[in-house]
Amino acid sequence: MFAGRDGSEKLQHSSALHPLSSKDWSLKPENNVEGRNCGVMEGYLFKQASNTFRIWNRRWFKVEDNQLMYQGFKNGSTVMMNDLRLCEVKNFNNTGCRFCFEVTSSTKSCVLKADSEMTKQVWMRAIQNRETSCTDSSHDSELKDPVREMVKKRKVMNVQGKMREVALRLEMAENPGVKEQQEDEDHKMNVLQNRRPISTNILTAEELDQVCPGRQIGISIVTWNMAGQKELPDNLNDLFPPTTADFSQDMYVIGVQEGCPNREEWQRKLQETLGQRYVKLHAASLGVLSLTIFTRTVLTHYFSQVKDATVTTRFFPQIKTKGSVGVSFTFCGMSFLFITSHFNFSTGVSKVSQRIQDYKKMITGLALSQHSNGTKPDPNLDVTTQYDVVFCFGDFNFRLTEDRESVMATLYHHTGDNMDVLLQHDQLSKEMDKGSVFRGFREAPIHFTPTYKFNMGCDVYDTSSKHRTPAYTDRILYRSKKKKDIKVIQYDSCPTVKTSDHRPVMGTFQVKVQPGTGWYGVHHCPLF
């Protein structure tokens, strides 16, 4: 059963307010209508797709010049409501739709979703202010209320201060004692160390412990070469270990090679499997190669704006079947980089030079360096050295150097889960030992049989005319500044999913959250 994935939360919300990141939310006092402030409100909300599947997508919204608009990935800004002064905003009470509100005009309506009750109220107030703050002369009397005086006294009338003020007012309405509690909390507030992050997050030590119990997060990674099959498995539950009482899955990261042609259907299937407790943080693709990240909805506030980049390893760049996709972000002050790849395969089991060349293109060609000012990658930098935590996974296409008959004989007579007898012939392990690929990366011990190549729909290795030798082509590798920052919980294949000639590989990891301890400086050490 998969009910555990939507089970009880380990995160307990305290009465203390979570400060709002200036990158994720802002309220700017720019516009002035007849002497009354009607600032710009912007930040992340979720909107439902207009297609049949109605998936919730995370978008950057803005309220400005009495308009409600959002930033799309392809078409720039889209205006949802032309004149908020003529609109009504109200709670949207519907089963299974938490933190939702509805904005209605005379011609249309839209339902939006926040990540908490507090942020929902902040957005509703900002939209309502287009009708009240810009037209009601009683606005000036509001300056004398206790919350405004307290904020002014503490001299935090900046972007975050204004957002906190709205949130404080809402909290005080429910709890009169929050004023004294907030003053105590402010003494504990501290800004994380300057570590060249994508964004700066402000959290108290107590809040960090609440967001990440034990200051650890659980990350589940799946890599799967789908062989371009149009038909998806009926059930994807076996790919995603559920959250349990002992271990919380905070992020699910899915890397796909030769993916399903209908990417929208694939995304819908993933969301359907993970349930409403998780939301899609980001998705990026290069042709048939894709990378999708889901996270617990309650954690979305603590991510920076996500970046992605791609690099193709084909001779003709227009052919996008081999290459790498990278996604990076900062979570609670730590920088993360995820890369999924599909390397080329050269005929001849001993020819690994093409895969090594693909690896070099991956680490130098992805324009995700935290130290570059432009969009072009730096050919002298290994992008994987610029982040606190890095995971690389995919179909690397490294093979076994043994002939097929010997490998099949070993598999036939082998018992137990010790695969060293095969792995001593593994090309990737040998090249990592030489330092020619994945320097500084590690891999958990392999206790599963080769994941390639199977006949479709069964457990029989390739019986076609090519008679491919079984191999460990699909892998998950990781690196971090400190070796103990990443703990492996599980590393295994998924033998029950048989719709491809590859078996999916799954890894579950526990990562220490240590904000403010990033990589300092630019690493100009020789790459190879």
Side-chain angles (χ1 to χ4, degrees):
M1 296 297 292
F2 224 61
R5 191 175 293 113
D6 288 313
S8 60
E9 290 283 350
K10 293 181 72 175
L11 176 64
Q12 298 294 322
H13 295 282
S14 71
S15 59
L17 296 173
H18 294 290
L20 303 173
S21 168
S22 60
K23 286 289 184 181
D24 287 346
W25 301 90
S26 67
L27 180 60
K28 305 175 184 177
E30 295 175 354
N31 302 328
N32 192 286
V33 180
E34 297 180 353
R36 299 179 183 90
N37 190 348
C38 299
V40 177
M41 172 74 179
E42 55 185 337
Y44 282 114
L45 288 172
F46 301 94
K47 67 178 288 291
Q48 275 190 316
S50 57
N51 55 37
T52 307
F53 308 114
R54 310 292 290 169
I55 296 174
W56 287 99
N57 294 312
R58 192 173 186 245
R59 295 288 184 264
W60 186 264
F61 276 80
K62 179 186 288 189
V63 172
E64 184 177 18
D65 295 332
N66 298 319
Q67 290 184 326
L68 175 64
M69 62 192 78
Y70 69 91
Q71 185 72 27
F73 288 122
K74 297 181 179 179
N75 302 322
S77 295
T78 300
V79 177
M80 294 191 73
M81 293 292 175
N82 282 313
D83 194 342
L84 290 174
R85 293 172 298 180
L86 304 177
C87 295
E88 179 187 5
V89 58
K90 59 184 179 180
N91 286 311
F92 184 77
N93 298 318
N94 191 19
T95 304
C97 190
R98 300 179 63 197
F99 315 135
C100 291
F101 61 95
E102 184 177 16
V103 184
T104 306
S105 70
S106 59
T107 58
K108 64 179 180 179
S109 67
C110 61
V111 177
L112 301 173
K113 182 178 180 180
D115 61 1
S116 69
E117 180 65 25
M118 185 188 74
T119 53
K120 182 189 81 170
Q121 296 294 337
V122 170
W123 273 101
M124 291 179 65
R125 183 183 180 89
I127 294 173
Q128 287 170 339
N129 280 348
R130 269 31 189 199
E131 181 179 358
T132 59
S133 297
C134 298
T135 58
D136 188 356
S137 60
S138 65
H139 172 77
D140 293 336
S141 64
E142 191 178 329
L143 295 174
K144 296 180 181 180
D145 72 54
V147 178
R148 181 67 67 102
E149 289 297 319
M150 182 176 65
V151 174
K152 183 177 180 181
K153 181 179 179 180
R154 296 204 310 262
K155 298 180 180 181
V156 289
M157 295 299 291
N158 50 28
V159 173
Q160 284 193 339
K162 279 189 169 288
M163 290 301 299
R164 286 176 62 80
E165 173 198 349
V166 177
L168 278 168
R169 190 185 311 282
L170 294 168
E171 188 77 1
M172 281 188 66
E174 299 178 0
N175 182 6
V178 75
K179 178 177 177 179
E180 292 76 13
Q181 180 181 0
Q182 183 60 36
E183 289 175 345
D184 292 338
E185 289 294 326
D186 285 344
H187 290 296
K188 301 175 184 177
M189 187 66 65
N190 62 85
V191 181
L192 300 178
Q193 301 174 35
N194 181 14
R195 46 172 300 286
R196 299 178 182 266
I198 300 173
S199 71
T200 301
N201 298 299
I202 301 178
L203 291 173
T204 65
E206 293 175 356
E207 287 167 335
L208 182 58
D209 288 334
Q210 290 168 355
V211 173
C212 307
R215 301 203 177 184
Q216 296 176 331
I217 59 171
I219 300 177
S220 179
I221 296 176
V222 176
T223 179
W224 184 24
N225 185 321
M226 299 176 68
Q229 295 298 302
K230 295 180 180 180
E231 297 296 326
L232 295 174
D234 294 332
N235 192 329
L236 295 179
N237 286 351
D238 290 346
L239 294 179
F240 306 113
T243 290
T244 66
D246 300 322
F247 187 79
S248 172
Q249 303 287 351
D250 298 302
M251 279 184 252
Y252 287 98
V253 183
I254 305 98
V256 166
Q257 309 83 43
E258 298 182 26
C260 170
N262 190 341
R263 190 172 295 123
E264 191 174 79
E265 173 69 10
W266 171 243
Q267 300 286 345
R268 184 196 66 80
K269 189 78 172 179
L270 291 174
Q271 181 70 75
E272 193 178 74
T273 303
L274 294 176
Q276 294 184 356
R277 188 168 180 253
Y278 294 88
V279 65
K280 183 176 71 176
L281 178 71
H282 195 74
S285 63
L286 173 70
V288 293
L289 187 67
S290 69
L291 178 58
T292 309
I293 300 177
F294 287 83
T295 185
R296 286 195 295 138
T297 305
V298 295
L299 298 181
T300 54
H301 171 68
Y302 301 96
F303 287 85
S304 71
Q305 195 166 1
V306 186
K307 295 181 179 181
D308 64 61
T310 63
V311 60
T312 179
T313 56
R314 285 297 196 186
F315 183 77
F316 296 104
Q318 295 83 359
I319 304 176
K320 299 177 180 179
T321 56
K322 298 291 192 298
S324 299
V325 177
V327 172
S328 68
F329 52 78
T330 295
F331 174 76
C332 286
M334 280 189 73
S335 58
F336 288 76
L337 174 63
F338 296 89
I339 302 174
T340 189
S341 300
H342 192 183
F343 292 169
N344 287 284
F345 172 64
S346 300
T347 304
V349 73
S350 63
K351 296 182 179 179
V352 300
S353 59
Q354 181 63 60
R355 269 90 81 190
I356 295 175
Q357 187 62 35
D358 288 354
Y359 164 76
K360 293 178 181 180
K361 287 182 181 180
M362 179 191 79
I363 64 173
T364 60
L366 288 173
L368 288 173
S369 173
Q370 297 199 84
H371 305 281
S372 75
N373 296 321
T375 58
K376 292 184 178 180
D378 187 338
N380 298 314
L381 287 180
D382 176 352
V383 70
T384 66
T385 66
Q386 308 303 305
Y387 289 83
D388 296 326
V389 175
V390 183
F391 288 94
C392 288
F393 44 96
D395 180 358
F396 298 136
N397 251 323
F398 286 93
R399 306 301 174 99
L400 296 175
T401 56
E402 280 281 270
D403 59 81
R404 176 183 168 85
E405 289 72 19
S406 299
V407 172
M408 293 301 296
T410 300
L411 289 171
Y412 182 79
H413 295 289
H414 182 73
T415 58
D417 59 3
N418 188 332
M419 295 295 158
D420 290 347
V421 66
L422 289 179
L423 291 169
Q424 63 180 325
H425 306 292
D426 177 55
Q427 289 178 338
L428 178 57
S429 300
K430 291 180 179 180
E431 295 304 320
M432 288 180 67
D433 290 341
K434 294 178 185 176
S436 55
V437 294
F438 295 106
R439 281 189 184 180
F441 281 84
R442 290 174 290 152
E443 182 180 23
I446 294 177
H447 297 300
F448 50 89
T449 56
T451 56
Y452 175 83
K453 176 181 182 180
F454 289 90
N455 292 339
M456 297 285 191
C458 65
D459 294 320
V460 179
Y461 284 105
D462 185 24
T463 58
S464 70
S465 58
K466 294 184 178 180
H467 278 76
R468 297 286 192 194
T469 303
Y472 292 98
T473 57
D474 312 282
R475 314 286 274 270
I476 301 175
L477 310 176
Y478 59 93
R479 71 177 294 171
S480 59
K481 183 181 179 183
K482 298 179 181 178
K483 287 188 176 182
K484 294 183 179 180
D485 283 354
I486 300 177
K487 178 183 178 181
V488 180
I489 305 299
Q490 179 191 26
Y491 189 42
D492 204 352
S493 65
C494 185
T496 59
V497 178
K498 305 175 183 181
T499 56
S500 167
D501 55 358
H502 289 252
R503 294 292 181 263
V505 171
M506 311 171 298
T508 304
F509 305 88
Q510 195 171 62
V511 179
K512 277 188 179 180
V513 178
Q514 300 188 68
T517 57
W519 299 89
Y520 291 90
V522 180
H523 297 256
H524 284 288
C525 57
L527 293 177
F528 310 104

